[in-house]
Amino acid sequence: MSNNNKGNIMNGPRGRMHGGAMFTGPKEKAKNSKDTIIRIWSYMEKKKYSLLIVFILIFFSTAATLLGPFLIIKGIDCMSSGINKKKKKKLGIIIIVMIGIYIISTVLSWIQSYMMIEIAQQCIFEIRKEIFEKIQNLNLKYFDSHPHGETMSRVTNDVENINTTLTQSISQLMSSFIMVIGSMCVMFYLSWKLAILSLFVVPIGMFITGKIINYTRKYFSIQQKELGELNGYIEEIISGEKVIKVFGREEESIKHFEENNRRLNSASIKAQIYSGIIPPFMNVINNISFAVVAAAGGWLVITGSITIGIIAGFLNYSKQFARPISEIANQINMIQSAIAGAERVFEVMDEISEFEEDGKCVLKSIEGNVILDNVEFGYKSDKKILNAVSINAKRGETIAIVGPTGAGKTTIVNLLTRFYDVNRGNIFIDGKNIKDIEKRSLRSQLGIVLQDTYIFAATVKENIRYGKLSATDKEVEEAAKMANAEHFILQLSNGYDTMLSEDGSNLSQGQKQLITIARAILSDPSVLILDEATSSVDTRTELHIQEGMLSLRKGRTSFVIAHRLSTIRDADQILVLNNGEIIERGSHSELLDKKGFFYDLYNSQFKKRGIS
């Protein structure tokens, strides 16, 4: 099959730009945070032994950090009762041990950070791989109802949010929890009275933080959704820049962008305001606690209950206890943003793949007998596009489908290729219902040339070879000759090795069409579908292409959708489609003799027009 970017085939209810506005399909409800966290863990679980090592390293690194203030206590108490040579030596040993401990702590922290980055990147690698594979296997109905930029935002921005959280927040949370528990234990060991005073603020902080988190989760989800919609609009505007300039709609586009940007700005401000309350609030609580502990500790020193070293060390532990709580609050903000992004990523992953309900029959080869039996179809349930359409195409026949715009011609292509399945009726190829045939197997027997061309950012040769990856250079060149494309290819700077820009912007529309026709020729299909394949080429080039198509169509069943009625005179059967129904059928001469709809359509293209 000629894979000319299937995303351009559809005429379904896709989000489109109209009057500067973007219309999109409905959004799915986000999954709850618990399920999302469990699902993220399912990726990390594969690295559970590495995570165990990271946890051990974090434990020893944090333990080393906790040991530092304890040595400070010993040092201060050692010198508080007077200085002598023995005490100086003891103080020197304490200082050396402290330096060694902090060096060890730093080295362990670096190792665990390195390992955590590797674990996180491997998880993100798997997530990116899965979501891209899922996108490749999604039914085209999904792309018709979701803006491309919004989908891209999920693959890039939302996945990167998860990456940042896994890389930074997981190890930080582990370290903070160990630091909190360790500091609390040492504080109770040093003075249970001061420890109780320090812990008094914790329930207050946790209660208020929990209340704030409920709001941040909501607004971070809205922020991610608005960011996706803004990206979708930007992608659409960049793609349609020529149309915007031709119709002078720059101001309308800017206004609509400003509306989207304002909504994103509003959601971001609310998310950041609520999340930003937590750190300063915790700092106030911690500073009040520090002041209370310092005052109470001073009183205990005066009464002789504790030493100066203990109060100095306790205040140090008090800060080490408070700091991780603030860090946990900060990390919760990052985690909320990541969960919102992860929910959007998993929404895509949970979409039904077009191959999940696929047929089991595999086609190795087909003769090309195609039957449409009373086919009915609509992109929306309340609006039919095709109504009781029946076609009988025998092997080697050319079936031309004509009719006004919107009659349902391209929809027949979408059904033949199973980009959509019929609502009622059946389609058979060689007596097999195509619903029972594997989609990949079915499409491998089809060659499609579309009105909307797509060129990849690759060489001319690679673009043509996309129709058959195993083709030799000679086969590629033969296909180009048959499509009448070689004459302009050889005039390019590097011939077949010329690098084409994205979507072939350095080629004319007609030249891009010729390359896609060569691509279809190279695929050597059993059934050929030409959807306005020559609409973008001049009359002279069209005649040459028609000659190539005649040899290509020999022995193959061909469906030709055409507006230029002069190109289908040799068709075995012409079907006239109007309002989703076949109103006339027959050969070119038979239809002209009937002097019906086709006759009027044909004459409207060739009658002479007066010059005013």
Side-chain angles (χ1 to χ4, degrees):
M1 174 183 174
S2 177
N3 296 316
N4 304 19
N5 186 24
K6 298 166 189 172
N8 289 333
I9 295 175
M10 301 297 97
N11 289 335
R14 177 177 170 182
R16 295 193 184 277
M17 185 176 64
H18 179 71
M22 167 73 83
F23 297 96
T24 64
K27 297 288 185 298
E28 296 287 336
K29 289 185 177 180
K31 300 176 180 63
N32 62 61
S33 299
K34 181 181 176 182
D35 288 347
T36 304
I37 292 170
I38 291 171
R39 193 159 177 181
I40 293 173
W41 168 248
S42 69
Y43 290 93
M44 300 191 71
E45 191 177 19
K46 300 172 185 177
K47 296 285 184 180
K48 57 187 176 183
Y49 295 114
S50 297
L51 278 170
L52 179 61
I53 294 172
V54 168
F55 180 80
I56 292 170
L57 290 171
I58 290 173
F59 178 83
F60 282 108
S61 173
T62 307
T65 304
L66 286 168
L67 190 58
F70 197 81
L71 292 173
I72 290 175
I73 295 172
K74 296 297 182 184
I76 292 175
D77 286 345
C78 173
M79 304 302 293
S80 61
S81 59
I83 301 174
N84 55 47
K85 189 174 181 180
K86 185 177 180 182
K87 289 184 177 181
K88 284 182 179 180
K89 185 178 179 182
K90 185 178 179 182
L91 181 62
I93 293 171
I94 290 173
I95 292 171
I96 291 170
V97 171
M98 282 181 63
I99 293 171
I101 285 172
Y102 286 128
I103 290 173
I104 291 170
S105 176
T106 302
V107 172
L108 292 177
S109 294
W110 181 84
I111 295 172
Q112 64 88 6
S113 295
Y114 177 84
M115 289 187 67
M116 196 64 218
I117 289 170
E118 278 200 332
I119 293 168
Q121 288 303 317
Q122 187 60 39
C123 293
I124 294 302
F125 175 84
E126 293 295 329
I127 290 173
R128 283 199 188 104
K129 177 172 173 286
E130 283 190 27
I131 191 171
F132 186 78
E133 287 178 352
K134 185 67 176 187
I135 287 172
Q136 293 301 301
N137 291 319
L138 284 177
N139 195 300
L140 287 182
K141 184 178 181 180
Y142 175 86
F143 299 102
D144 291 342
S145 57
H146 292 76
H148 295 174
E150 201 267 347
T151 303
M152 288 171 60
S153 180
R154 296 184 187 225
V155 179
T156 53
N157 295 337
D158 293 328
V159 171
E160 189 56 35
N161 258 347
I162 303 172
N163 180 28
T164 301
T165 298
L166 292 183
T167 303
Q168 299 177 11
S169 298
I170 301 299
S171 57
Q172 188 66 57
L173 279 174
M174 288 182 184
S175 176
S176 296
F177 278 121
I178 295 172
M179 182 66 75
V180 167
I181 294 170
S183 297
M184 186 173 60
C185 291
V186 177
M187 286 161 65
F188 270 97
Y189 172 76
L190 294 174
S191 173
W192 64 269
K193 296 176 182 178
L194 293 179
I196 291 174
L197 277 176
S198 299
L199 293 177
F200 180 73
V201 300
V202 174
I204 300 173
M206 290 179 67
F207 174 77
I208 297 177
T209 299
K211 291 292 184 182
I212 295 172
I213 285 171
N214 291 331
Y215 288 97
T216 59
R217 181 185 298 117
K218 171 186 173 183
Y219 286 113
F220 272 122
S221 295
I222 296 172
Q223 175 184 289
Q224 292 305 113
K225 181 180 79 69
E226 294 294 347
L227 178 61
E229 291 189 359
L230 183 67
N231 286 338
Y233 183 72
I234 291 171
E235 190 268 344
E236 183 182 60
I237 290 300
I238 291 173
S239 300
E241 198 62 47
K242 285 184 180 179
V243 177
I244 291 169
K245 293 188 182 300
V246 166
F247 289 97
R249 294 292 183 265
E250 292 90 347
E251 289 298 322
E252 286 81 356
S253 298
I254 291 170
K255 286 179 183 177
H256 189 68
F257 175 83
E258 287 176 353
E259 290 174 10
N260 284 358
N261 197 23
R262 195 176 295 112
R263 289 200 303 270
L264 173 60
N265 183 56
S266 175
S268 298
I269 287 173
K270 289 176 181 177
Q272 297 303 325
I273 283 176
Y274 279 110
S275 65
I277 290 172
I278 298 175
F281 171 77
M282 292 304 299
N283 282 335
V284 170
I285 297 294
N286 292 334
N287 287 333
I288 292 172
S289 174
F290 187 83
V292 171
V293 169
W299 176 258
L300 290 175
V301 170
I302 293 172
T303 59
S305 299
I306 59 175
T307 65
I308 295 175
I310 288 177
I311 185 61
F314 193 96
L315 289 173
N316 208 318
Y317 279 114
S318 177
K319 279 200 169 185
Q320 285 192 347
F321 175 77
R323 180 177 55 82
I325 293 178
S326 298
E327 288 176 352
I328 289 171
N330 286 330
Q331 295 306 319
I332 286 172
N333 292 332
M334 291 182 64
I335 290 170
Q336 290 302 315
S337 178
I339 288 173
E343 287 173 347
R344 286 161 46 82
V345 170
F346 294 143
E347 279 178 9
V348 178
M349 289 187 182
D350 292 338
E351 288 286 336
I352 297 175
S353 169
E354 71 167 333
F355 302 111
E356 286 180 24
E357 300 175 357
D358 203 1
K360 302 300 179 185
C361 178
V362 176
L363 295 178
K364 293 183 178 179
S365 62
I366 61 174
E367 291 185 6
N369 298 303
V370 181
I371 295 175
L372 278 74
D373 181 23
N374 287 313
V375 167
E376 292 184 6
F377 176 76
Y379 293 105
K380 295 180 179 178
S381 57
D382 59 343
K383 186 178 179 181
K384 284 185 181 180
I385 302 297
L386 297 178
N387 185 30
V389 171
S390 294
I391 302 172
N392 189 349
K394 297 179 181 178
R395 177 184 178 182
E397 283 190 341
T398 297
I399 308 298
I401 304 172
V402 302
T405 301
K409 302 185 296 296
T410 299
T411 298
I412 291 176
V413 175
N414 296 339
L415 298 178
L416 284 171
T417 53
R418 283 199 71 194
F419 294 144
Y420 286 85
D421 283 326
V422 298
N423 298 140
R424 187 173 296 176
N426 295 287
I427 300 177
F428 300 94
I429 291 184
D430 292 350
K432 297 182 179 68
N433 194 316
I434 64 171
K435 285 187 177 180
D436 299 326
I437 301 173
E438 265 190 2
K439 290 181 180 178
R440 288 191 180 95
S441 173
L442 171 67
R443 293 168 189 169
S444 68
Q445 303 292 330
L446 308 178
I448 306 176
V449 180
L450 305 170
Q451 182 178 6
D452 296 326
T453 60
Y454 190 85
I455 299 296
F456 297 95
T459 64
V460 174
K461 188 186 298 179
E462 289 168 338
N463 266 281
I464 297 175
R465 188 176 278 130
Y466 200 77
K468 181 183 175 183
L469 298 179
S470 61
T472 63
D473 289 351
K474 186 177 180 181
E475 288 174 324
V476 169
E477 291 169 9
E478 286 297 322
K481 287 178 183 176
M482 187 175 292
N484 201 35
E486 189 175 58
H487 69 285
F488 85 83
I489 293 174
L490 296 178
Q491 292 175 4
L492 298 175
S493 56
N494 294 311
Y496 284 93
D497 294 317
T498 301
M499 194 71 181
L500 301 179
S501 59
E502 185 180 356
D503 201 20
S505 57
N506 51 346
L507 296 177
S508 70
Q509 186 63 33
Q511 289 171 335
K512 289 193 288 185
Q513 192 71 280
L514 290 172
I515 287 178
T516 59
I517 290 171
R519 188 187 291 167
I521 291 172
L522 186 64
S523 68
D524 192 23
S526 299
V527 175
L528 185 65
I529 301 173
L530 307 174
D531 186 0
E532 300 291 346
T534 61
S535 61
S536 300
V537 298
D538 58 82
T539 305
R540 184 178 178 183
T541 303
E542 182 182 54
L543 291 173
H544 289 296
I545 293 174
Q546 290 299 324
E547 292 175 4
M549 288 300 178
L550 282 174
S551 59
L552 175 65
R553 280 159 34 191
K554 285 180 181 177
R556 294 181 175 87
T557 306
S558 301
F559 290 87
V560 181
I561 296 172
H563 278 138
R564 294 184 185 176
L565 303 184
S566 60
T567 64
I568 55 169
R569 289 175 179 169
D570 62 334
D572 297 291
Q573 190 178 168
I574 298 175
L575 309 177
V576 183
L577 202 63
N578 191 31
N579 294 325
E581 296 181 354
I582 298 175
I583 58 173
E584 293 178 359
R585 66 176 76 209
S587 66
H588 188 271
S589 59
E590 288 172 348
L591 291 176
L592 287 179
D593 291 340
K594 285 182 180 179
K595 294 189 177 180
F597 192 93
F598 180 83
Y599 177 84
D600 294 336
L601 199 64
Y602 184 82
N603 285 330
S604 68
Q605 290 190 7
F606 295 99
K607 68 180 181 180
K608 294 181 179 179
R609 296 179 179 178
I611 302 174
S612 58

